[in-house]
Amino acid sequence: MAAAAVAASGCGVCPVSWSSSAVKRRAGESDGAGIDRLSLGSRGSRIREGRVRCDRLLRPRFTHLLARRTMGSGSVLRAMSSSAAPQVELESRRSEVSDAISQSLSNCLTETQLDETVKGIGKKIRGKVRDIYDAGDHLVLVTTDRQSAFDRVLASVPFKGQVLNETSSWWFDNSQHITANAVVSIPDPNVTIARKCSVFPVEFVVRGYVTGSTSTSLWTVYQKGVRNYCGNELVEGLVKNQRLDENILTPTTKAEDHDMPISGKEIVEQGLMSREDYDEVSRRALALFAFGQEVARKHGLLLVDTKYEFGKTSDGTIVLLDEVHTPDSSRYWVAASYEERQRCGLEPQNIDKEFLRLWFKDNCNPYEDKVHSFV
């Protein structure tokens, strides 16, 4: 079945089509309606060629976890194998990867309009990064290249959506011993088909370090004198980027414009979750974070903090949603240089979007000042 859809992206137009050849399905699962055949794989020759170039550089030697970071005056894609093999530095191929990204600057996947052209797809719900479409018992989630921070969209970055979606796919597959998830299939590098769930109106933020630059970050509130944050007692004398004695949970409410910190006690008292559900999801969130830290350490990284979203399926099963341990939802630091830089009072080397947060915070009011969208 071939039905064309159009996604405006930067300066170009990206055709979206149905493609059975692009399907990567989970064994034994069926969507019952063929929606797992949705593919963005033929979004236009220029964007396709750019993606293939990028994939060709990365896939032959590395699989699974991909993260983009800024390094000096340029960019580099760091890839980690799913095995416990030593971390491999792609610095020698930096110019090749940078060229592939540079040639795709005008072809970012910034907007999609599946609801206008694909029969049976509901109206789009536009999140900061994801475009979500209702497909009956399922949701079609398209991870775009939009870059968000400070509760707003700041830019579009080539291949970012692919990195986020495929990173989450790896973690979803490899964390099922901790929690079930809502994913049905990944038919395209930018697309996830998921079971429709009732989403808990709370984001479960787990932190292992005193850091951050946003209004809800642990270091920001600690600097303001807060010593009980989301039900966690904080001792005196902590310094920025210091590791906590144990990981803590600092939930936030899911708001349209700005997330607000909240304690577990308040979540239950306000009826946002039952005590039983809150305790179970908290346990899973902390276990996921500990597992993520363990995997990151094997690859020379520190998983600093992250956020999780959970929901319930129609049969009452609690499942993990959205994204897992991506450079958008998490902070990652380079382990080898952390201790020395901490002693010298320097910011840790990171491979997440913290560099972007810090730049905006240093140069403007990131929540209120007008920002001209850039790529």
Side-chain angles (χ1 to χ4, degrees):
M1 184 164 61
V6 174
S9 60
C11 301
V13 176
C14 301
V16 181
S17 65
W18 294 81
S19 171
S20 58
S21 63
V23 179
K24 183 179 79 175
R25 301 189 58 185
R26 297 195 172 197
E29 292 201 66
S30 172
D31 63 7
I35 59 170
D36 61 339
R37 294 190 299 164
L38 181 64
S39 174
L40 302 181
S42 56
R43 292 184 295 163
S45 59
R46 291 180 61 195
I47 193 168
R48 184 59 169 165
E49 289 169 6
R51 172 182 285 165
V52 169
R53 275 198 304 277
C54 188
D55 286 352
R56 189 178 296 124
L57 294 172
L58 296 172
R59 290 184 185 280
R61 295 172 56 195
F62 310 102
T63 58
H64 305 313
L65 302 180
L66 303 177
R68 182 181 185 274
R69 68 167 176 166
T70 292
M71 192 171 184
S73 59
S75 298
V76 65
L77 282 171
R78 178 183 297 277
M80 299 181 295
S81 168
S82 62
S83 70
Q87 179 178 316
V88 180
E89 176 61 67
L90 293 182
E91 187 66 21
S92 62
R93 310 185 74 187
R94 175 172 164 182
S95 60
E96 292 178 272
V97 176
S98 294
D99 287 346
I101 293 172
S102 296
Q103 292 175 31
S104 298
L105 287 175
S106 63
N107 288 289
C108 291
L109 180 63
T110 302
E111 298 292 342
T112 65
Q113 291 91 27
L114 297 182
D115 53 329
E116 296 181 5
T117 53
V118 179
K119 186 177 181 180
I121 296 291
K123 288 293 184 182
K124 175 174 71 176
I125 299 174
R126 189 181 190 273
K128 296 184 186 75
V129 174
R130 288 167 183 79
D131 288 347
I132 305 170
Y133 298 90
D134 191 315
D137 293 334
H138 298 81
L139 294 177
V140 177
L141 301 96
V142 183
T143 306
T144 72
D145 294 332
R146 298 193 293 264
Q147 177 67 67
S148 69
F150 301 106
D151 300 316
R152 63 200 292 192
V153 175
L154 299 173
S156 292
V157 180
F159 306 112
K160 175 179 173 288
Q162 177 180 345
V163 168
L164 298 192
N165 202 52
E166 294 190 323
T167 298
S168 288
S169 175
W170 188 91
W171 284 106
F172 279 127
D173 282 342
N174 287 276
S175 63
Q176 294 184 68
H177 62 291
I178 297 173
T179 182
N181 61 70
V183 176
V184 173
S185 66
I186 314 291
D188 179 90
N190 288 75
V191 180
T192 294
I193 307 297
R195 286 175 288 171
K196 190 179 291 184
C197 301
S198 174
V199 182
F200 293 122
V202 175
E203 289 188 346
F204 285 78
V205 181
V206 186
R207 305 179 188 275
Y209 294 77
V210 187
T211 192
S213 55
T214 65
S215 62
T216 58
S217 71
L218 193 54
W219 176 242
T220 299
V221 299
Y222 189 82
Q223 276 188 305
K224 294 178 178 178
V226 175
R227 294 297 179 266
N228 187 307
Y229 190 52
C230 300
N232 300 286
E233 293 292 337
L234 305 173
V235 300
E236 296 290 343
L238 297 177
V239 298
K240 188 178 184 185
N241 302 326
Q242 179 179 338
R243 177 160 191 166
L244 295 165
D245 290 338
E246 61 181 15
N247 297 328
I248 64 173
L249 192 63
T250 61
T252 63
T253 58
K254 289 171 61 65
E256 185 76 20
D257 52 349
H258 188 59
D259 298 337
M260 297 299 295
I262 190 172
S263 68
K265 183 173 182 289
E266 292 169 324
I267 289 171
V268 174
E269 288 177 346
Q270 295 178 23
L272 299 177
M273 297 178 68
S274 69
R275 168 55 66 181
E276 182 181 7
D277 285 345
Y278 176 77
D279 288 345
E280 176 59 23
V281 172
S282 297
R283 183 192 66 78
R284 296 189 194 188
L286 289 167
L288 281 168
F289 190 68
F291 174 60
Q293 288 183 312
E294 178 186 352
V295 173
R297 278 194 298 270
K298 290 179 181 178
H299 298 286
L301 298 176
L302 301 174
L303 177 58
V304 177
D305 53 40
T306 194
K307 69 176 180 69
Y308 305 107
E309 295 188 36
F310 289 84
K312 273 188 175 182
T313 60
S314 57
D315 63 2
T317 302
I318 294 177
V319 292
L320 181 63
L321 312 172
D322 197 43
E323 61 182 317
V324 189
H325 299 161
T326 71
D328 243 24
S329 66
S330 316
R331 286 186 178 87
Y332 283 100
W333 294 341
V334 176
S337 60
Y338 167 72
E339 295 290 350
E340 182 179 355
R341 294 180 72 87
Q342 185 71 358
R343 284 194 299 270
C344 296
L346 300 174
E347 287 293 317
Q349 291 178 293
N350 67 77
I351 57 167
D352 49 53
K353 64 179 182 180
E354 184 64 11
F355 75 94
L356 188 66
R357 295 191 192 99
L358 292 173
W359 187 92
F360 273 91
K361 189 173 182 181
D362 288 343
N363 288 274
C364 66
N365 181 330
Y367 289 102
E368 297 180 4
D369 289 351
K370 183 176 180 180
V371 176
H372 294 287
S373 182
F374 65 94
V375 176

